[in-house]
């Protein structure tokens, strides 16, 4: 009887835990097109205000790459009512933190304040949207900031150029072929009017979602949002065309021999994959976990632990709004060649394409993804990011509650079949990434 009681209690606790993970939210759209999502959580006196704009590197003129990332910096310069250089001072002096980031698909700004400063967070984001000051001194200042960032993260960082080399070869037509940091020559060549026009086109309410998550009162918050954002003029509608890539039908082999920051070569095998919204993309997430997530994963155990042919191995599915890239990278040990590593990796992929994983491994996968899912929504800051992302890139905010069900429904057969569909030698790029040779 005691055992039955304990099992019943455990079942109750699990159901309560599952229910507790459900994220409640309310969404609506202002007359100017700004979408608003509210998530109330009064458990801690913190509130996140965030705005995601549907603009990233893929929206840039091919002759003016780097604009979206540049604006991630530029829109902290100041506004009509926030003096240049005061943005971060205002945030920190009021107990807050803030940041921003840019991808190929979107740009995201956020602040986390004590909840009594919600009004300040909303005002600052409305200022960024309505009254940004885009002038020569700001452009010149941030141009130097971006140049220093590129020197630090790309030019002088070991293997820092791998992404640019991968994407410019994997995509021939699509704007994913350049990275978010873009070309510094393009930024140098741009006129002030070009920056102002880019802002006018993309940083408008009808191309954005505002999320407020945390400790607030709904009625008063809605009034603040209406007051600060409701009168911002709607921008012109943005027309987007998805550029289709021709299928890869023959293995592409590329050598990059320009990294002076490394002594050990690396090899990247990269496959073009479908958009993040597809079921296949989620299956590929699971494939990457099987191959290289943790020391018990197949590639790590074989190449690093058992055979000691690689010092580093990783596989990950880099999903984007319109396409994706499945990337496997490895660094050799000793006399092992890059070709040796590719052959060993291919053996493991073939096993995945021809043999079903065990029930135990499938359950282990599901447990890992549930843990990741819970952790991503463990704070109001994380929830705000997820709500904005699911609205902007997936067109389904409730995926914050239901996407884990998709992962849990993936079968062993799907894992095998998706690996067989996308991870084939004739559908990939092989990049040999080598140290720069010293010229005599």
């Amino acid at each position: 009887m005691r055992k039955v009681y304990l099992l019943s209690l455990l079942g109750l606790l699990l159901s309560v835990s599952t229910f507790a993970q459900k994220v409640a939210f309310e969404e609506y759209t202002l007359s100017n097109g700004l979408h608003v999502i509210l998530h109330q959580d009064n458990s801690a006196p913190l509130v996140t205000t965030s705005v995601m704009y549907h603009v990233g590197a893929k929206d840039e003129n091919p002759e003016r790459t780097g604009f979206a990332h540049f604006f991630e910096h530029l829109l902290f310069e100041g506004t009509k009512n926030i003096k240049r250089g005061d943005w971060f001072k205002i945030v920190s002096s009021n107990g807050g933190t803030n940041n921003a980031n840019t991808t190929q698909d979107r740009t995201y700004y956020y602040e986390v304040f004590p909840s009594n400063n919600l009004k300040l967070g909303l005002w600052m984001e409305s200022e960024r949207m309505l009254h940004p000051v885009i002038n020569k001194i700001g452009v010149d200042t941030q141009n130097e900031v971006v140049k220093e960032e590129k020197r630090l993260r790309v030019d002088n960082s070991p293997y820092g150029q791998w992404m640019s080399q991968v994407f410019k070869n994997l995509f021939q037509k699509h704007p994913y072929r350049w990275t978010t940091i873009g070309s510094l020559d393009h930024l140098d060549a741009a006129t002030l009017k070009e920056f102002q026009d880019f802002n006018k086109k993309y940083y408008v309410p009808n191309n954005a979602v505002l999320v407020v998550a945390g400790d607030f009162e709904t009625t008063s918050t809605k009034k603040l949002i209406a007051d600060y954002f409701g009168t911002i003029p709607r921008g012109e509608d943005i027309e987007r065309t998805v550029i289709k890539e021709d299928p890869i039908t023959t293995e592409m082999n590329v050598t990059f021999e320009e990294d002076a920051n490394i002594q050990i070569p690396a090899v990247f095998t990269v496959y073009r994959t479908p958009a993040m919204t597809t079921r296949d993309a989620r299956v590929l997430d699971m494939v990457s976990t099987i191959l290289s997530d943790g020391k018990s994963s197949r590639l790590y155990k074989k190449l690093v632990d058992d055979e000691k042919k690689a010092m580093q191995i990783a596989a990950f599915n880099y999903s984007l709004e319109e396409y994706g890239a499945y990337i496997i990278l490895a660094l050799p040990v000793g006399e092992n060649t890059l070709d040796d590593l590719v052959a060993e990796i291919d053996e493991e992929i073939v096993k995945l394409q021809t043999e079903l994983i065990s029930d135990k491994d499938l359950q282990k996968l599901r447990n890992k993804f549930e843990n990741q899912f819970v952790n991503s929504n463990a704070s109001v800051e994380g929830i705000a990011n997820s709500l904005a992302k699911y609205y902007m890139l997936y067109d389904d905010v409730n995926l914050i509650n239901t996407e884990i069900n998709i992962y849990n429904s993936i079968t062993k057969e799907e894992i095998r079949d998706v690996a067989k569909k996308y991870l084939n030698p004739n559908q990939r790029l092989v990049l040999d990434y080598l140290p720069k040779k010293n010229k005599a």
Side-chain angles (χ1 to χ4, degrees), residues 28 78 123 135 143 160 175 203-204 212 235 243 268 285 291 298 319 360 378 399 436:
Y28 60 97
W123 173 73
N135 56 22
N143 202 346
Y203 298 85
V204 291
V212 180
I243 298 174
F268 295 81
D285 288 340
L291 289 178
R298 294 186 179 188
S319 293
K360 180 180 178 181
L399 280 171
K436 185 175 183 178

Side-chain angles (χ1 to χ4, degrees), residues 37 46-52 87 97-99 108-113 117-126 128 209-214 216 221 225 229 380-381 384:
I37 305 175
L46 293 172
V47 65
T48 296
T49 54
S50 67
V51 177
M52 183 175 286
W87 187 285
T97 59
N98 68 163
N99 214 330
Y108 185 61
Y109 300 90
Y110 68 93
E111 296 80 32
V112 181
F113 277 116
N117 277 322
L118 168 63
K119 183 177 181 179
L120 175 62
L122 290 171
W123 173 73
M124 292 184 79
E125 285 302 334
S126 69
R128 194 197 310 267
V209 56
L210 165 69
V211 179
V212 180
F216 61 86
T221 299
I225 291 170
F229 291 91
V380 291
E381 184 180 329

Side-chain angles (χ1 to χ4, degrees), residues 33-273:
L34 178 67
H35 198 72
V36 179
I37 305 175
L38 305 178
H39 165 68
Q40 188 175 18
D41 178 355
N42 303 116
S43 61
L46 293 172
V47 65
T48 296
T49 54
S50 67
V51 177
M52 183 175 286
Y53 294 92
H54 201 175
V55 56
K58 79 169 186 297
D59 299 294
E60 297 162 348
N61 178 341
E63 300 302 317
R64 290 292 183 266
T65 64
F67 264 46
H69 171 258
F70 188 81
F71 266 79
E72 174 197 321
H73 293 266
L74 185 63
L75 292 186
F76 283 105
E77 269 288 301
T79 74
K80 179 180 176 181
N81 297 300
I82 298 176
K83 185 180 175 183
R84 180 173 179 269
D86 277 3
W87 187 285
F88 297 105
K89 294 177 185 176
I90 293 171
V91 172
S92 61
S93 65
N94 284 277
T97 59
N98 68 163
N99 214 330
N101 52 71
T102 309
T103 71
Q104 286 92 334
D105 299 313
R106 92 296 178 277
T107 304
Y108 185 61
Y109 300 90
Y110 68 93
E111 296 80 32
V112 181
F113 277 116
S115 51
N116 60 353
N117 277 322
L118 168 63
K119 183 177 181 179
L120 175 62
L122 290 171
W123 173 73
M124 292 184 79
E125 285 302 334
S126 69
E127 275 291 299
R128 194 197 310 267
M129 187 180 292
L130 179 60
H131 293 135
V133 173
I134 300 173
N135 56 22
K136 188 176 187 304
I137 187 172
V139 167
D140 290 346
T141 299
Q142 294 307 320
N143 202 346
E144 290 305 312
V145 171
V146 170
K147 285 178 179 177
E148 181 58 28
E149 180 180 345
K150 184 175 184 293
R151 283 191 287 266
L152 178 67
R153 296 187 179 182
V154 179
D155 299 340
N156 298 318
S157 176
Y159 309 99
Q161 300 177 67
W162 76 265
M163 182 173 281
S164 63
Q165 295 304 312
V166 162
F167 279 85
K168 79 174 187 179
N169 287 288
L170 191 67
F171 294 97
Q172 305 298 317
K173 301 176 181 178
H174 196 281
Y176 287 156
R177 67 184 184 272
W178 58 81
T179 57
T180 54
I181 204 158
S183 166
L184 300 186
D185 289 340
H186 290 177
L187 295 177
D188 285 341
T191 65
L192 181 60
K193 186 175 185 304
E194 286 179 290
F195 288 111
Q196 292 168 340
D197 288 347
F198 193 82
N199 179 79
K200 183 179 179 181
K201 180 175 182 179
Y202 290 109
Y203 298 85
V204 291
N206 48 304
N207 195 45
V209 56
L210 165 69
V211 179
V212 180
D215 182 28
F216 61 86
E217 193 279 320
T218 301
T219 301
S220 60
T221 299
K222 285 183 175 180
K223 184 178 186 310
L224 288 172
I225 291 170
D227 290 344
Y228 285 130
F229 291 91
T231 59
I232 299 176
R234 180 186 181 94
E236 293 185 11
D237 292 340
I238 299 169
E239 295 183 8
R240 288 184 166 90
T241 301
V242 178
I243 298 174
K244 299 291 185 181
E245 284 281 349
D246 297 326
I248 300 172
T249 57
T250 304
E251 183 177 271
M252 298 183 291
N253 297 99
V254 176
T255 298
F256 178 73
E257 201 170 2
E258 294 296 328
D259 196 331
N261 304 299
I262 64 171
Q263 295 179 323
I264 298 169
V267 63
F268 295 81
T269 57
V270 189
Y271 308 79
R272 195 187 302 144
T273 53

Side-chain angles (χ1 to χ4, degrees), residues 324-375:
Y326 192 87
I327 302 166
I328 305 174
L329 66 96
L331 279 66
V333 169
E335 298 301 316
N336 293 288
T337 68
L338 300 184
D339 288 342
D340 292 336
L341 295 183
V342 171
E344 296 282 1
I345 291 167
D346 285 350
E347 280 188 16
E348 288 304 314
I349 291 176
V350 169
K351 286 181 185 177
L352 204 56
Q353 293 172 328
T354 55
E355 302 171 11
L356 294 178
I357 66 172
S358 67
D359 290 338
K360 180 180 178 181
D361 285 344
L362 181 62
Q363 188 57 53
K364 182 179 176 182
L365 270 176
R366 289 174 175 171
N367 292 342
K368 281 190 174 185
F369 276 83
E370 287 203 25
N371 185 53
Q372 292 170 10
F373 189 77
V374 170
N375 287 340

Side-chain angles (χ1 to χ4, degrees), residues 15-30:
S15 66
V16 170
S17 175
T18 301
F19 177 77
Q21 295 302 323
K22 182 176 175 63
V23 176
F25 61 89
E26 178 183 355
E27 56 181 327
Y28 60 97
T29 304
L30 300 182

